[in-house]
Amino acid sequence: GENVEQHPSTLSVQEGDSAVIKCTYSDSASNYFPWYKQELGKRPQLIIDIRSNVGEKKDQRIAVTLNKTAKHFSLHITETQPEDSAVYFCAASNSGNTPLVFGKGTRLSVIA
Amino acid sequence: ETGVTQTPRHLVMGMTNKKSLKCEQHLGHNAMYWYKQSAKKPLELMFVYNFKEQTENNSVPSRFSPECPNSSHLFLHLHTLQPEDSALYLCASSHKQGNGYTFGSGTRLTVV
């Protein structure tokens, strides 16, 4: 089955700096890669996703890149703000066929 | 609310009790999931229902028993739990399996 590894487990950045979180996956059949943000005491929320036919996707300060050959994908947050502080999870699936498998999460702290 | 409602929000139960967690979605989604979130294993898949049929049981102990009477409702029946079962239990749904989850707010379970 699919295995998703996520690094780093914790990340601290200064406000205004960029943050990068990286994930690798094992199943070459996976074709859907979402990222979720979970604030303290709240539910995970989808912030961006990418499919295997696309190499990069951007939404304002958030971008995701995918390298299918290397089986890794990354989340990039630019101009970080204190409200970006949360736990971020990456995930992978074969859309329509298998459930999402999540990474172990990255706790991001943005220091004002 | 997100469209996925979980009740109760908090539950304290003894090891000999029987209780049930409820999840309800009116998003027209066809797949529903139970995930266990704890410090040791964040977002651990438990059960998957696709069009009311259970398609995955991720080696979950029999003291957890799922039920999906229709596409909008999902239950998790609990009996003779152990203290290590204390965790946040998250329900999610999606239009098709493994794609674009919407999470509920979770049930914080404490087994005493």
Side-chain angles (χ1 to χ4, degrees):
Chain A
E2 177 64 277
N3 182 50
V4 176
E5 299 286 340
Q6 182 171 347
H7 299 280
S9 57
T10 60
L11 178 60
S12 291
V13 299
Q14 292 289 328
E15 183 177 0
D17 287 351
S18 295
V20 180
I21 303 170
K22 298 182 179 182
C23 288
T24 60
Y25 62 100
S26 60
D27 189 350
S28 57
S30 289
N31 56 17
Y32 176 67
F33 308 92
W35 287 87
Y36 286 81
K37 174 184 180 183
Q38 187 175 26
E39 297 177 60
L40 189 63
K42 296 189 176 181
R43 63 182 179 88
Q45 288 188 282
L46 178 67
I47 56 171
I48 195 168
D49 56 15
I50 192 168
R51 299 186 184 274
S52 58
N53 59 344
V54 176
E56 185 175 358
K57 184 176 179 180
K58 189 173 181 180
D59 182 4
Q60 299 183 338
R61 297 187 295 108
I62 295 173
V64 58
T65 59
L66 171 65
N67 183 326
K68 286 192 299 181
T69 303
K71 295 197 187 73
H72 66 70
F73 55 113
S74 301
L75 178 70
H76 304 253
I77 306 174
T78 59
E79 301 172 22
T80 54
Q81 301 167 4
E83 51 265 38
D84 294 329
S85 297
V87 178
Y88 291 81
F89 293 95
C90 64
S93 74
N94 182 341
S95 179
N97 295 304
T98 64
L100 286 173
V101 175
F102 287 85
K104 291 188 175 182
T106 296
R107 184 173 300 279
L108 173 65
S109 299
V110 180
I111 303 164
Chain B
E1 284 295 341
T2 65
V4 179
T5 303
Q6 285 187 247
T7 54
R9 295 291 298 271
H10 301 273
L11 178 62
V12 179
M13 61 185 288
M15 289 189 283
T16 58
N17 289 161
K18 290 184 180 181
K19 296 287 184 181
S20 296
L21 310 184
K22 180 182 177 181
C23 177
E24 185 173 353
Q25 60 92 6
H26 295 289
L27 300 170
H29 288 171
N30 298 308
M32 296 186 77
Y33 317 82
W34 281 115
Y35 280 83
K36 176 184 178 181
Q37 187 173 37
S38 61
K40 292 185 178 181
K41 292 186 178 181
L43 292 174
E44 180 183 5
L45 179 66
M46 299 178 72
F47 301 105
V48 180
Y49 278 82
N50 199 28
F51 291 96
K52 300 189 299 179
E53 298 296 320
Q54 184 175 316
T55 58
E56 189 145 345
N57 175 340
N58 202 26
S59 302
V60 180
S62 59
R63 58 186 184 269
F64 295 92
S65 174
E67 178 189 2
C68 187
N70 54 61
S71 294
S72 299
H73 293 85
L74 184 65
F75 295 89
L76 187 62
H77 303 300
L78 317 171
H79 64 96
T80 59
L81 294 191
Q82 304 298 312
E84 59 264 30
D85 296 322
S86 299
L88 180 68
Y89 289 83
L90 287 161
C91 173
S93 70
S94 64
H95 180 62
K96 60 179 180 178
Q97 188 174 185
N99 194 40
Y101 287 11
T102 299
F103 281 93
S105 297
T107 295
R108 173 71 61 186
L109 174 66
T110 304
V111 181
V112 296

